[in-house]
Amino acid sequence: MPEQFTRLTSRTLVLPQANIDTDQIIPARFLTTTTRDGLGSAAFYDWRYGPDGALVPDAQLNTIDPAEHRILVAGDNFACGSSREHAPWALLDYGFRVIVSTGIADIFASNALKNGLVPVIVDADTHARLLADPGGRVTVDVECCELIAGNEPPVKFVIDPFARRCLLDGVDTLGWLVDRLPAIDSFEARTA
Amino acid sequence: MPPPEPRTLFDKLWDANLVEPERADAPAILYVGLHLVHEVTSPQAFAELNQRDLRVRRPDRTYATLDHSTPTLPPAASGARTYVTAAAAAQVDQLRANCERHGVRLADWDSHDRGVVHVMAPELGLTQPGMVVVCGDSHTATHGAFGALAFGIGTSEVAHVLATQCLLQRKPKQMRVTVDGRLGPGVSAKDLTLAVVNRIGFGGGSGHVIEYAGDAIRVLGMEGRMTLCNMSIEAGARAGMIAPDETTFAYLRGRRHAPEDFEAAVAKWRAFVTDDGARFDSEIQIDAATISPMATFGTTPDASIAIGAPTPSARDDSERQALHYMGFAAGAPTTDHAIDVVFVGSCTNGRLTDLRDAAAVLRGRRVKEGVRMLVVPGSESVKQQAEAEGLDRVFIDAGAEWRLPGCSMCIAMNGDFVGAGQLAVSTSNRNFEGRQGKGARTILASPATAAASAVTGKLTDPRAFLEAAHA
């Protein structure tokens, strides 16, 4: 059941690289789990730990308090690659609630929304401003579909109306689909 | 009455499987004809069903296999399998228990059907034109080669499909990639695929499904078509598809799960083509004759060049980091670097024709000393056919390792991996940092290129070897 999301104000964490793939977000060797819990410790593991397994002290992700930096601003085409839902599970468990980029991969965005992690697509100018101000305070408001950075005027973003309703109300999409079973029955009867 | 609007292959697939159309405030509900399941992305979905006391709605449309976490070395004399970790073994046990509980067919260790999910399902005739095919795996687009709407889904959606046989979807944009002309001798479907991904760009297909069309696509066999559709996600597109034709029907005829009234099915399948005049949101044209054997040089699958061409200069920090990670210099070819590992296999290139391509180069030759070559058939069926043709002997005699079917080094979660800093030539689909093992450096290429590179110990255009073989 996804957590509700209306509005969040937090500091950003900036990872400016383009094409951060889901193998970076959670390496495949952590996918042998059978639960969705506790994957935050594996988030960006190979960026946070060296080949010998020792913590990389100056890795950006190791220098912040995740509770204070809940908005991830990432380079273009974020979370491309594998469809693993372990990627949003790991990011959420690490502490993120919002991803902001100029491009977010389709499958990841779909997976993220089902778990209450909000993908926000912004224009290149807004993105550049956010990249230039790591740790800045940003508000993301799903009710108004607005992102507000510092004293800048609000920037509108687009979010699918169904996904928005699910975020605001914490709608469980499986339950919603199960409620549509009569329509599914009649489709099966029609096409059998 | 005005004539009906011309529709694309995708439009027809969408309409044929539409339970409810999309509205402003709700996505469409699509009916799934085939749901493929593997051990890595399904446990949490089954758990969701079990918590809610839901059943798998259509076990007859669901098929599971073991591929990602499974060892490729044979079991010990005791029969025990050497899983990389206890967690990997537990994940396989969990899938077995879930399938038993819900009456889902599982191609288990003792099944001759077992294989990499995207190799196995077409072999069994499960994948058919006109249907929606999904799997918790981004390379599900492979099945689009049959004129199916096939795409990868997340685990929440796996639960949706298990419980309702349906999926919530917004209609995507459509791109057509038309490849005319003929591929030159010794240029393979993988080279074409890398050229297509390069042309579209890594994220260029985001929000789209792709239809591949043109003369060069029509002459590809089903294996080549699967290789091409397989890597649609590497251009950001969730699905890639090719209209079914005589090649498709000939492949399916006689397969175990092909329809009983095959001719009636073919008559229906013939309608799944794009009408003349149908519109796409974007169009790309490629001349097949301009494509040479290709290899990647960076850490995204679109970063490829003709083998031997100078490495392009980095245009931004991400590309600079990619060249730094790979240890390649702009302006110099990548063919001077000693390689450590060669991998032939995966859902991209683990089929019989791929193994034949690699064996044609390796026959009578040796893998260079110091190079480790792993050949992993895509399924039990591929393995058996390859052994019947003696391909296993070619690989073993050349000094390569001949393994059991599985995803193996492509995703490197079963214990098969490329060591830190090592350079690999791989027939798989992703060259991301660390994809084939922490610190591993990957060059993506075709099976023939992989085999030629194994012989010389450096990235090598296979055409010289093939010409020698024909001389």
Side-chain angles (χ1 to χ4, degrees):
Chain A
M1 204 76 81
E3 250 183 272
Q4 274 176 276
F5 188 107
T6 309
R7 185 184 163 99
L8 171 75
T9 300
S10 177
R11 293 187 187 285
T12 62
L13 177 84
V14 170
L15 299 174
Q17 299 90 324
N19 305 318
I20 295 172
D21 57 77
T22 51
D23 278 83
Q24 309 310 312
I25 297 171
I26 178 166
R29 58 186 189 280
F30 295 105
L31 305 186
T32 51
T33 177
T34 54
T35 72
R36 55 177 79 191
D37 305 323
L39 290 175
S41 59
F44 291 105
Y45 192 91
D46 289 345
W47 293 18
R48 293 162 57 209
Y49 297 89
D52 52 355
L55 191 95
V56 180
D58 55 351
Q60 205 183 351
L61 285 148
N62 289 334
T63 62
I64 59 149
D65 174 2
E68 296 289 316
H69 297 256
R70 309 201 70 190
I71 298 176
L72 173 59
V73 178
D76 191 44
N77 197 27
F78 180 73
C80 48
S82 154
S83 60
R84 60 191 69 163
E85 199 160 318
H86 309 70
W89 295 336
L91 293 174
L92 278 164
D93 191 51
Y94 185 83
F96 296 117
R97 286 305 305 275
V98 178
I99 311 291
V100 184
S101 179
T102 42
I104 298 177
D106 295 342
I107 303 179
F108 174 85
S110 162
N111 289 339
L113 283 166
K114 290 183 180 64
N115 292 279
L117 178 66
V118 184
V120 174
I121 303 291
V122 292
D123 62 89
D125 288 346
T126 304
H127 193 230
R129 278 203 302 278
L130 293 170
L131 291 180
D133 183 26
R137 282 202 166 273
V138 169
T139 297
V140 170
D141 187 326
V142 168
E143 181 81 64
C144 307
C145 296
E146 283 178 353
L147 178 147
I148 305 158
N151 297 322
E152 301 279 340
V155 176
K156 285 276 179 195
F157 60 85
V158 175
I159 187 161
D160 177 81
F162 180 77
R164 178 172 166 273
R165 184 152 56 97
C166 291
L167 286 171
L168 292 174
D169 301 345
V171 172
D172 147 43
T173 47
L174 175 53
W176 191 89
L177 197 47
V178 167
D179 286 344
R180 306 304 305 149
L181 280 174
I184 299 167
D185 288 336
S186 66
F187 178 88
E188 285 184 335
R190 191 162 80 235
T191 54
Chain B
M1 212 170 94
E5 275 290 294
R7 290 186 300 160
T8 62
L9 165 59
F10 170 77
D11 292 333
K12 293 179 185 183
L13 287 166
W14 181 270
D15 293 347
N17 296 288
L18 193 59
V19 175
E20 285 191 351
E22 62 182 334
R23 308 187 310 253
D25 63 348
I29 301 178
L30 278 187
Y31 192 78
V32 174
L34 175 64
H35 184 196
L36 300 168
V37 174
H38 64 76
E39 72 275 23
V40 175
T41 56
S42 66
Q44 299 86 350
F46 279 109
E48 191 77 45
L49 262 67
N50 295 343
Q51 277 161 22
R52 298 178 190 224
D53 211 17
L54 293 168
R55 302 289 305 166
V56 172
R57 180 177 175 85
R58 293 297 297 265
D60 59 322
R61 292 189 177 276
T62 312
Y63 206 114
T65 187
L66 309 174
D67 55 6
H68 283 65
S69 305
T70 49
T72 57
L73 284 169
S78 66
R81 305 264 168 192
T82 45
Y83 284 92
V84 61
T85 56
Q91 195 171 54
V92 165
D93 291 342
Q94 186 67 56
L95 179 60
R96 192 174 292 126
N98 287 332
C99 288
E100 276 169 18
R101 174 168 177 169
H102 288 276
V104 170
R105 291 161 295 179
L106 169 67
D108 208 332
W109 280 115
D110 56 0
S111 169
H112 293 304
D113 298 338
R114 195 184 69 83
V116 177
V117 63
H118 309 309
V119 177
M120 171 207 78
E123 283 174 346
L124 295 175
L126 291 163
T127 304
Q128 295 170 14
M131 56 169 50
V132 173
V133 180
V134 298
C135 175
D137 191 288
S138 62
H139 293 109
T140 307
T142 309
H143 307 268
F146 290 79
L149 174 56
F151 50 90
I153 58 177
T155 297
S156 293
E157 291 174 318
V158 171
H160 293 181
V161 181
L162 288 173
T164 68
Q165 204 57 29
C166 285
L167 203 56
L168 297 167
Q169 284 293 300
R170 290 284 182 189
K171 203 169 185 178
K173 289 184 183 170
Q174 302 185 51
M175 175 187 288
R176 177 161 60 186
V177 176
T178 304
V179 190
D180 283 317
R182 287 288 176 111
L183 291 172
V187 183
S188 72
K190 181 61 166 295
D191 301 310
L192 167 63
T193 303
L194 290 172
V196 167
V197 172
N198 172 266
R199 179 69 181 279
I200 300 173
F202 189 32
S206 287
H208 290 75
V209 294
I210 302 173
E211 178 177 351
Y212 301 102
D215 303 343
I217 307 298
R218 287 287 140 225
V219 299
L220 288 178
M222 290 314 298
E223 292 82 359
R225 295 180 189 190
M226 285 190 257
T227 299
L228 176 60
C229 290
N230 172 275
M231 286 186 65
S232 300
I233 186 70
E234 312 316 334
R238 271 184 99 158
M241 62 196 71
I242 296 171
D245 60 10
E246 298 308 323
T247 303
T248 321
F249 309 143
Y251 178 97
L252 283 169
R253 192 183 305 274
R255 302 226 172 224
R256 192 191 312 161
H257 294 279
E260 277 181 28
D261 189 348
F262 194 75
E263 296 313 320
V266 167
K268 273 198 265 180
W269 293 341
R270 285 188 195 283
F272 287 98
V273 293
T274 291
D275 298 329
D276 287 342
R279 289 174 56 87
F280 288 82
D281 297 287
S282 60
E283 297 251 18
I284 288 178
Q285 315 274 343
I286 294 174
D287 177 2
T290 62
I291 298 170
S292 303
M294 300 285 287
T296 59
F297 62 88
T299 56
T300 55
D302 64 330
S304 64
I305 45 174
I307 295 170
T311 302
S313 301
R315 293 166 297 186
D316 57 34
D317 286 345
S318 299
E319 291 187 357
R320 254 183 295 283
Q321 163 61 19
L323 285 187
H324 173 74
Y325 181 84
M326 291 302 295
F328 294 153
T334 56
T335 46
D336 296 336
H337 295 257
I339 56 173
D340 305 292
V341 178
V342 170
F343 173 62
V344 174
S346 85
C347 60
T348 311
N349 281 128
R351 299 185 179 81
L352 186 62
T353 50
D354 300 314
L355 301 190
R356 284 181 185 150
D357 284 356
V361 172
L362 271 187
R363 192 167 280 118
R365 297 194 173 94
R366 295 279 310 166
V367 174
K368 192 174 175 73
E369 203 171 317
V371 175
R372 177 187 183 206
M373 181 176 186
L374 209 66
V375 184
V376 183
S379 69
E380 290 291 343
S381 168
V382 168
K383 180 170 180 285
Q384 285 171 18
Q385 291 177 73
E387 288 175 353
E389 293 182 15
L391 304 184
D392 59 324
R393 289 309 326 169
V394 174
F395 295 125
I396 292 164
D397 290 349
E401 298 174 50
W402 175 245
R403 294 292 188 94
L404 303 181
C407 301
S408 183
M409 253 184 207
C410 171
I411 188 164
M413 61 179 291
N414 75 327
D416 301 337
F417 65 93
V418 177
Q422 288 193 320
L423 184 61
V425 175
S426 175
T427 67
S428 54
N429 40 57
R430 289 189 173 133
N431 52 347
F432 301 156
E433 282 188 23
R435 167 77 179 188
Q436 295 195 283
K438 187 163 181 163
R441 300 180 296 146
T442 298
I443 295 172
L444 301 177
S446 74
T449 298
S453 304
V455 171
T456 63
K458 292 175 178 176
L459 177 66
T460 299
D461 185 331
R463 288 178 294 189
F465 287 82
L466 296 168
E467 280 155 21
H470 290 211

